[in-house]
């Protein structure tokens, strides 16, 4: 299904976003040179024994974009369409995402070209361990701290952590975040990205004087980010009328019973067939139409480059909350800007995940664990403050929220890089 998507280079898209903000800030060539391109790009070949005794070789990546403000931080994605270009873009966004929410970390990202659905848990475990072991010197609680992304979750983090701890002969949970609770994970991490999206939607609605009660919502992607955001917004009183995953899209004009659909997705690990279990659902023949549905709020929470110059003119939402990374191309951004659509950019909107990852890392280093309430309160404070800073910057510079978020973040990264200076 992803093969039909726009193949715009995600990294070029990311650099174009950077350039726009850098121009507003009148950064010098030297300043740009130090913070724009990735600092370290690693590609590895990963031979893994299959259950039938054969050996398959996978390609893995880790990109550390910038570490001026702290250790590299960012997830690892398992997907058949992973490319180095995509991983570089995702690492780039992590640098600026951490800076927008002002947590003391830099940007990194990893990926493996693999379709996890085609492998047994034992094969996946061997692949995970080989990935981590192959690049063990890159990782560490003060160096580079991976986390979950598409198709990786707490179990993968547990294998990463165990591989690292066995090599170092020490229990070192701070090397990854998004771990199971039993191994030093944080309460609230599973829902953190969605909670952050919802906090941003709440703040945006306040600014736009939009009533969330009864507001119509479409959510693309029903994984970690999409499904919990749908649940959260439903709880806030919104009417979720359209959702999709890679196996299908569903609509219900009266409002989807999101709790039931979430339970269905948990049980079946996909949405296909949900219309048989939940009779009020209608299957959308062309899933891409979800992005153009008649809604107040659109939450793209799947993959990059979903809203492009082709479909952007038909988008009807007033507010777009980017749950996914890079779901809008630069051309789509321009079109939506002209249509006065209020876009909460990814580096702000989905920063709740990395924020609670940071809180998990803090708890690991203290060896003291907080209540879910404390974690949520800290998340709310950090996200609300970041949203307000970005909004004020957008009003001050008369730019949209994406450029404003980059202005806030680039200033912080540039300042840290300058204070550190150049070593040798
Ligand atoms: P996930 O693997 O849990 O879910 C991805 C979902 O997208 C799945 O439901 C999948 O079926 C769906 N999908 C894939 N292709 C699709 C398509 N063509 N149309 C509709 N749905 C499609 O992944 P996730 O963790 O929820 O991540 C989703 C996005 O959010 C990614 O861009 C990721 O980088 C970003 N993100 C995730 C986190 C996090 O904490 N998990 C944090 C920040 C950003």
């Amino acid at each position: 299904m992803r093969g039909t998507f726009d193949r715009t280079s995600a990294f070029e898209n990311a650099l174009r976003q950077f350039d726009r903000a850098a121009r507003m800030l009148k950064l010098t060539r030297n300043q740009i040179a130090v913070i724009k391109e990735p600092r370290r790009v690693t590609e590895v070949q990963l031979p893994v024994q299959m259950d039938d005794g054969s050996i398959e070789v996978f390609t893995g990546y880790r990109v550390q974009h910038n570490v001026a403000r702290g250790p590299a931080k960012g997830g690892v994605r398992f997907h058949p369409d992973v490319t180095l270009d995509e991983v570089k873009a995702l690492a780039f966004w992590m640098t600026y995402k951490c800076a927008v929410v002002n947590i003391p970390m830099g940007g990194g990202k990893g990926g493996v070209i693999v379709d996890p659905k085609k492998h047994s848990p034992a094969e996946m475990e061997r692949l995970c361990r080989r990935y981590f072991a192959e690049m063990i010197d890159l990782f560490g609680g003060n160096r580079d701290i991976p986390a979950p992304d598409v198709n990786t979750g707490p179990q993968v983090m547990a294998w990463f952590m165990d591989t690292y701890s066995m090599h170092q002969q020490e229990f070192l949970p701070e090397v990854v975040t998004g771990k199971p609770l039993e191994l030093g994970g944080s309460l609230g991490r599973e829902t953190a990205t969605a909670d952050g999206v919802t906090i941003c939607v709440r703040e945006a609605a306040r600014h736009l004087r939009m009533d969330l009660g009864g507001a119509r919502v479409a959510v693309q992607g029903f994984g970690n980010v999409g499904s919990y955001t749908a649940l959260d917004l439903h709880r806030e009183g919104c009417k979720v009328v359209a959702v999709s995953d890679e196996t299908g899209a569903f609509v219900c004009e009266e409002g989807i019973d999101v709790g039931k659909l979430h339970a269905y997705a948990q049980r079946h690990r996909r949405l296909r067939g949900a219309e048989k279990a939940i009779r009020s659902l209608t299957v959308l023949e062309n899933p891409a139409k979800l992005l153009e549905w008649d809604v107040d709020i659109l939450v793209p929470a799947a993959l990059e480059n979903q809203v492009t110059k082709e479909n952007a003119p038909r988008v009807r939402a007033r507010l777009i909350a980017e749950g996914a990374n890079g779901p809008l191309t630069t051309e789509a951004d321009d079109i939506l800007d002209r249509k006065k659509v209020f876009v909460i950019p990814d580096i702000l909107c989905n920063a709740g995940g990395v924020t609670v990852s940071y809180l998990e890392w803090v708890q690991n280093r203290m060896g003291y664990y907080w209540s879910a309430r404390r974690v949520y309160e800290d998340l709310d404070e950090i996200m609300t403050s970041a949203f307000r800073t970005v909004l004020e910057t957008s009003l001050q510079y008369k730019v949209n929220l994406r450029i404003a978020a980059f202005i806030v973040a680039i200033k912080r990264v540039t300042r840290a890089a300058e204070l550190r200076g150049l070593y040798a």
Side-chain angles (χ1 to χ4, degrees):
M1 203 161 165
R2 203 181 168 206
T4 60
F5 291 169
D6 187 308
R7 301 305 299 174
T8 307
S9 157
F11 190 52
E12 274 170 31
N13 193 22
L15 294 186
R16 276 202 291 268
Q17 296 170 351
F18 176 95
D19 288 340
R20 287 177 172 192
R23 268 199 299 277
M24 303 286 307
L25 285 171
K26 300 192 174 45
L27 291 193
T28 64
R29 245 184 82 238
N30 284 352
Q31 284 172 316
I32 292 174
V34 176
I35 65 167
K36 189 170 165 180
E37 294 288 335
R39 156 182 194 262
R40 182 181 279 157
V41 175
T42 309
E43 174 177 332
V44 288
Q45 297 305 312
L46 307 167
V48 176
Q49 187 155 38
M50 300 291 101
D51 294 342
D52 65 4
S54 65
I55 289 175
E56 221 173 287
V57 182
F58 299 88
T59 301
Y61 303 105
R62 186 73 188 169
V63 174
Q64 294 173 341
H65 177 263
N66 186 284
V67 292
R69 302 179 67 258
K73 183 87 195 79
V76 179
R77 175 173 294 192
F78 286 176
H79 197 284
D81 293 342
V82 161
T83 61
L84 180 56
D85 177 90
E86 176 182 65
V87 181
K88 279 163 73 176
L90 292 163
F92 167 95
W93 283 315
M94 286 307 295
T95 297
Y96 297 103
K97 191 179 299 184
C98 292
V100 168
V101 283
N102 213 4
I103 60 174
M105 287 175 163
K109 203 79 182 191
V112 178
I113 304 172
V114 58
D115 185 351
K117 286 193 267 332
K118 295 194 174 140
H119 296 281
S120 70
E123 288 172 352
M124 289 312 295
E125 177 175 353
R126 290 194 286 274
L127 173 61
C128 289
R129 289 188 185 280
R130 185 67 192 221
Y131 174 83
F132 221 78
E134 198 66 56
M135 292 185 279
I136 202 119
D137 293 339
L138 293 181
F139 299 124
N142 290 317
R143 290 182 186 172
D144 184 347
I145 307 148
D149 192 73
V150 175
N151 288 325
T152 54
Q155 178 60 73
V156 171
M157 297 307 119
W159 290 328
F160 284 168
M161 189 275 267
D162 182 68
T163 304
Y164 188 74
S165 294
M166 292 306 290
H167 271 261
Q168 308 294 335
Q169 290 293 293
E170 272 184 89
F171 182 64
L172 293 166
E174 67 268 34
V175 69
V176 288
T177 58
K179 297 178 293 292
L181 285 179
E182 298 84 344
L183 292 174
S186 176
L187 288 167
R189 176 61 186 87
E190 196 182 341
T191 57
T193 306
D195 290 342
V197 172
T198 308
I199 291 164
C200 286
V201 169
R202 180 193 73 199
E203 290 299 309
R206 188 171 295 164
H207 170 67
L208 298 171
R209 300 182 203 287
M210 177 194 274
D211 188 2
L212 284 186
R216 292 162 58 81
V217 177
V219 181
Q220 185 201 39
F222 209 69
N224 174 281
V225 181
S227 68
Y228 285 117
T229 302
L231 278 171
D232 273 359
L233 290 176
H234 180 68
R235 243 178 260 128
E236 293 281 330
C238 297
K239 201 198 268 189
V240 180
V241 293
V243 298
S244 68
D245 75 354
E246 59 193 322
T247 67
F250 302 85
V251 292
C252 172
E253 288 304 314
E254 291 71 47
I256 295 170
D257 185 334
V258 186
K260 257 193 195 164
L261 190 62
H262 188 254
Y264 179 89
Q266 296 280 77
R267 209 168 38 250
H268 299 273
R269 311 216 139 269
R270 57 176 161 72
L271 291 181
R272 191 191 297 132
E275 76 282 6
K276 295 190 193 94
I278 305 168
R279 293 280 170 195
S280 53
L281 292 178
T282 306
V283 178
L284 208 56
E285 285 309 320
N286 178 359
K289 286 284 165 209
L290 174 131
L291 300 167
E292 302 163 21
W293 211 246
D294 182 13
V295 290
D296 301 299
I297 304 170
L298 171 65
V299 184
L303 298 163
E304 303 90 64
N305 299 334
Q306 300 300 296
V307 183
T308 64
K309 61 177 186 295
E310 273 77 42
N311 57 3
R314 295 189 299 275
V315 167
R316 284 186 275 179
R318 272 175 71 196
L319 169 60
I320 297 183
E322 292 189 329
N325 287 307
L328 275 51
T329 63
T330 324
E331 292 89 350
D333 234 5
D334 292 342
I335 295 166
L336 295 167
D337 225 18
R338 285 198 291 275
K339 287 173 58 164
K340 306 240 175 306
V341 179
F342 192 88
V343 177
I344 312 172
D346 47 9
I347 60 169
L348 168 65
C349 195
N350 68 36
V354 75
T355 300
V356 174
S357 274
Y358 161 62
L359 300 179
E360 177 177 333
W361 177 81
V362 171
Q363 292 170 76
N364 292 154
R365 289 158 76 101
M366 284 194 299
Y368 179 73
Y369 290 86
W370 305 341
S371 66
R373 187 177 165 165
R374 160 127 197 226
V375 172
Y376 183 81
E377 281 170 2
D378 280 12
L379 172 68
D380 196 355
E381 194 182 318
I382 293 171
M383 291 298 300
T384 303
S385 153
F387 184 93
R388 290 180 185 170
T389 304
V390 171
L391 182 61
E392 275 163 27
T393 307
S394 92
L395 298 173
Q396 185 194 339
Y397 284 82
K398 299 188 177 33
V399 292
N400 63 28
L401 254 64
R402 187 182 318 280
I403 299 178
F406 272 105
I407 288 175
V408 170
I410 289 173
K411 274 188 189 172
R412 288 178 179 154
V413 177
T414 307
R415 181 74 186 133
E418 280 173 354
L419 284 169
R420 287 180 68 155
L422 296 182
Y423 173 75

